[in-house]
Amino acid sequence: MNQSFNFYDMWKDYYSQTSKLFDEKISKDFPSEGMGQILEMNLQFKKMIDESTLKYLEFMNVPSRNDIANISSLIVNVDAKVDDLEEKLEEKLDSQDVQESFKTELAHLKKDMKSLDTKLNQILTMLKSQEKVK
Amino acid sequence: MPTDWNELLEYTPPEYKEMYQRTLRANQVLTTDADPEVAPTPKELIWTRNKTKLYRYISESPKKHKIPLLLVYALINKPYILDLTKGGSLVEYLVNRGFEVYLLEWGQPGYEDRNMKLDDYIMDYIPRAVRKVLRKSNVDEVSILGYCMGGTITAAFAALHPELPIRNLIFMTSPFDFEKTGSYGAMLDERYFNIDKVVDTLGVIPPEMIDFGNKMINPMGTNYGPYISLYERADNEKFIKSFKLLQKWLNDGIQFPGEAYRQWIRDFYQQNKLIKGEMVIRGKKVNLENIRANVLNLSGKNDLIAQPHQVEALMNAISSEDKEYKCLPVGHTSITFGSQATKITYPTIADWLEERSN
């Protein structure tokens, strides 16, 4: 018996060659038309099933996927509105922060001006008193 | 006479014994082994809107770079491919290199999201996420990395929002030119693929359909190739770990919102509007020339989904002065996971970003 014979290796060789050929063939001449026809057929079938299911559910007073999705859409819309509001609030808080820091800066400026004014008054008083002495 | 199966194996030649053991292990992997854990990097939830979530990755190592990085994922499959496993995660690598990383995850769209368009993602979700990142990190600029389709929509977003402070843009196997897409082009040929009928009938596109389309590019290789490799390498636990992780991700698809799919197929694949400057998003023309951020554009030499010429096409369309295109010796998935990704992709991204993030 030949020890080097391996059925798997033989199959693997055959598989590698045929699969490579198959993949090359597909990439060169893609069966677009055939696939399009299969897709069309499947879509037709799906549409038929969907329509009959919808009629049945309506007849049985059972909510359909559309009804549930419509409710979900309402929730999604509310969620979006809340998110928009949150962003507006964040922007407002940001501008408020800017305003707050502006206010603080203005208060500091006022205080500085006031102390400058006081110092100027003191200088003027001193100058005047010196003039009187002369 | 041997009565036990294992006893019988003792009498068989070693190569058949090995073959039997590999078959046994391969069967275990496919039938009884538990699904592997994914997305190991810890993260916190920053913001949600509808099913979309914005995460910030938590790191124990100190932040070394001022500008945070936002990862924008595609609308196909789940983003944990970017954080698949310890030692094989782009996120983990970037976090360890001192980047502050955020991830924008689209979640799992339901039937109620069938009317969502790419316009919603580009004009509402991504800008909001960017503003959230800027606020959370308390910075004035941000970097964005888009993977696959995530990069394509990020480019459209960046072109439409020049007011947002985007310092760096990284595109990873993102197609921009859809003129020569090979089998995809043939599969989505307007004459045979009726996109309106598909969307109007299905509402949301099932992941199996997207997966089937991807596998048809190389049907034998993608459908059977992994299983043959598994059988041949079932005695290698490291290979088995990678196989299980990738298969989990590949088979974990999400539904594609119908209206967004209609745009993706018609405007991109069938009419190639983006690169021609004809794409209109919420009434505004997408002009890629508006992109002025620093750009690193990565393609994969073996990528059949976003072929290198489709990726490279962006380079002549943008106005960025600092722009770089690199074609790495990887494929569409192996750019993010595997030994080449760890050795080549991760350092390429981190090195480029490091120079531009302070």
Side-chain angles (χ1 to χ4, degrees):
Chain A
M1 191 182 148
N2 184 3
Q3 283 292 315
S4 64
F5 174 78
N6 185 322
F7 179 75
Y8 173 76
D9 287 345
M10 195 181 79
W11 174 83
K12 178 73 195 297
D13 270 354
Y14 173 75
Y15 166 80
S16 300
Q17 283 171 25
T18 47
S19 67
K20 206 177 154 195
L21 275 175
F22 183 80
D23 284 353
E24 276 171 11
K25 176 80 184 150
I26 283 276
S27 62
K28 266 186 208 156
D29 307 304
F30 196 86
S32 315
E33 199 174 349
M35 271 189 65
Q37 283 167 352
I38 294 171
L39 179 70
E40 185 92 10
M41 225 164 62
N42 278 302
L43 291 174
Q44 206 69 42
F45 181 69
K46 170 93 171 97
K47 199 177 169 197
M48 201 180 77
I49 295 282
D50 281 354
E51 280 171 359
S52 50
T53 310
L54 206 66
K55 275 183 190 153
Y56 171 77
L57 292 173
E58 205 179 329
F59 180 73
M60 296 300 284
N61 279 330
V62 175
S64 67
R65 184 169 68 149
N66 282 338
D67 297 325
I68 296 166
N70 287 342
I71 295 170
S72 302
S73 293
L74 294 175
I75 299 168
V76 169
N77 289 344
V78 172
D79 179 60
K81 279 180 186 167
V82 171
D83 186 53
D84 289 342
L85 281 173
E86 189 195 61
E87 188 171 31
K88 285 209 167 73
L89 200 67
E90 281 171 355
E91 277 169 11
K92 197 158 186 173
L93 283 172
D94 272 356
S95 65
Q96 224 169 36
D97 280 351
V98 173
Q99 270 185 351
E100 281 300 318
S101 67
F102 181 71
K103 270 184 192 167
T104 321
E105 213 167 298
L106 202 69
H108 284 151
L109 210 64
K110 272 183 187 170
K111 209 174 154 188
D112 289 348
M113 284 289 285
K114 210 173 174 180
S115 78
L116 209 66
D117 192 46
T118 322
K119 278 177 189 167
L120 271 172
N121 280 341
Q122 279 174 351
I123 292 168
L124 278 173
T125 324
M126 280 168 75
L127 281 172
K128 273 178 191 169
S129 61
Q130 270 184 355
E131 256 178 36
K132 272 181 192 172
V133 172
K134 279 179 187 175
Chain B
M1 277 288 285
T3 50
D4 186 69
W5 183 243
N6 285 325
E7 211 177 307
L8 188 72
L9 272 177
E10 296 300 320
Y11 297 96
T12 55
E15 61 265 33
Y16 288 104
K17 199 173 154 186
E18 229 174 68
M19 207 188 278
Y20 166 76
Q21 272 156 353
R22 282 207 311 268
T23 312
L24 198 68
R25 183 71 189 106
N27 280 336
Q28 278 173 351
V29 170
L30 295 173
T31 55
T32 54
D33 272 15
D35 263 3
E37 290 276 329
V38 290
T41 313
K43 54 187 186 286
E44 59 174 333
L45 188 63
I46 301 295
W47 166 74
T48 64
R49 181 175 173 135
N50 194 358
K51 280 97 186 166
T52 300
K53 291 183 179 80
L54 176 68
Y55 291 105
R56 178 180 166 273
Y57 287 94
I58 301 161
S59 166
E60 281 171 16
S61 46
K63 190 174 114 179
K64 291 181 193 159
H65 311 291
K66 199 181 99 189
I67 312 286
L69 174 67
L70 170 66
L71 308 176
V72 178
Y73 193 68
L75 291 168
I76 302 162
N77 280 58
K78 290 181 183 167
Y80 61 75
I81 185 71
L82 299 168
D83 183 28
L84 206 52
T85 185
K86 270 192 183 296
S89 155
L90 174 64
V91 169
E92 181 195 41
Y93 182 87
L94 292 170
V95 165
N96 288 343
R97 288 274 300 254
F99 290 97
E100 190 173 18
V101 182
Y102 291 83
L103 170 74
L104 187 57
E105 181 186 340
W106 302 119
Q108 300 195 46
Y111 192 66
E112 65 277 13
D113 300 311
R114 63 194 180 282
N115 294 323
M116 275 192 79
K117 297 178 79 176
L118 292 178
D119 303 35
D120 300 313
Y121 293 103
I122 293 168
M123 301 303 281
D124 297 332
Y125 286 68
I126 305 179
R128 180 86 169 101
V130 167
R131 286 193 287 270
K132 274 278 172 189
V133 170
L134 292 170
R135 175 182 293 277
K136 180 76 185 170
S137 291
N138 199 17
V139 287
D140 300 327
E141 284 178 294
V142 65
S143 300
I144 306 178
L145 182 152
Y147 178 34
C148 182
M149 182 199 178
T152 315
I153 58 174
T154 296
F157 150 77
L160 287 169
H161 292 88
E163 81 285 358
L164 285 170
I166 306 165
R167 166 121 35 127
N168 306 303
L169 282 169
I170 300 171
F171 301 110
M172 211 162 65
T173 60
S174 300
F176 299 103
D177 185 355
F178 295 79
E179 189 65 45
K180 288 175 188 157
T181 51
S183 297
Y184 270 132
M187 203 186 311
L188 303 169
D189 189 323
E190 275 176 283
R191 288 171 299 170
Y192 310 115
F193 188 87
N194 188 340
I195 180 65
D196 289 331
K197 201 163 190 175
V198 170
V199 173
D200 295 342
T201 309
L202 299 176
V204 282
I205 311 304
E208 293 80 14
M209 187 171 158
I210 313 265
D211 190 44
F212 178 77
N214 287 338
K215 282 182 174 160
M216 277 308 284
I217 294 175
N218 192 15
M220 295 297 277
T222 47
N223 279 303
Y224 306 110
Y227 299 102
I228 289 171
S229 300
L230 172 67
Y231 169 75
E232 285 183 330
R233 301 174 68 185
D235 47 2
N236 178 345
E237 281 305 317
K238 203 176 160 195
F239 170 81
I240 285 179
K241 189 187 168 197
S242 301
F243 174 88
K244 285 201 283 191
L245 285 164
L246 270 180
Q247 288 304 309
K248 179 185 166 105
W249 178 73
L250 286 168
N251 297 318
D252 198 7
I254 55 165
Q255 301 192 111
F256 202 127
E259 287 306 322
Y261 186 73
R262 197 194 305 263
Q263 280 177 295
W264 181 239
I265 300 301
R266 176 170 291 154
D267 293 357
F268 291 85
Y269 278 95
Q270 292 180 338
Q271 298 179 1
N272 196 18
K273 285 184 177 176
L274 180 68
I275 207 79
K276 289 181 187 166
E278 294 168 3
M279 173 76 67
V280 175
I281 295 287
R282 207 172 278 171
K284 287 183 182 171
K285 201 165 245 190
V286 181
N287 185 1
L288 293 173
E289 272 182 22
N290 289 343
I291 297 180
R292 291 192 167 77
N294 307 322
V295 168
L296 173 65
N297 192 12
L298 302 175
S299 71
K301 200 178 152 193
N302 313 318
D303 191 349
L304 296 173
I305 293 175
Q307 297 170 47
H309 69 271
Q310 292 182 261
V311 177
E312 193 180 3
L314 177 79
M315 303 314 281
N316 292 327
I318 54 176
S319 312
S320 311
E321 281 176 18
D322 180 355
K323 55 182 176 182
E324 198 176 334
Y325 166 73
K326 278 188 178 178
C327 185
L328 308 177
V330 291
H332 195 72
T333 310
S334 57
I335 198 164
T336 53
F337 177 68
S339 58
Q340 294 295 85
T342 320
K343 271 186 234 158
I344 303 168
T345 317
Y346 301 174
T348 303
I349 292 172
D351 293 345
W352 184 87
L353 209 53
E354 205 165 53
E355 287 174 24
R356 295 161 178 84
S357 292
N358 285 308

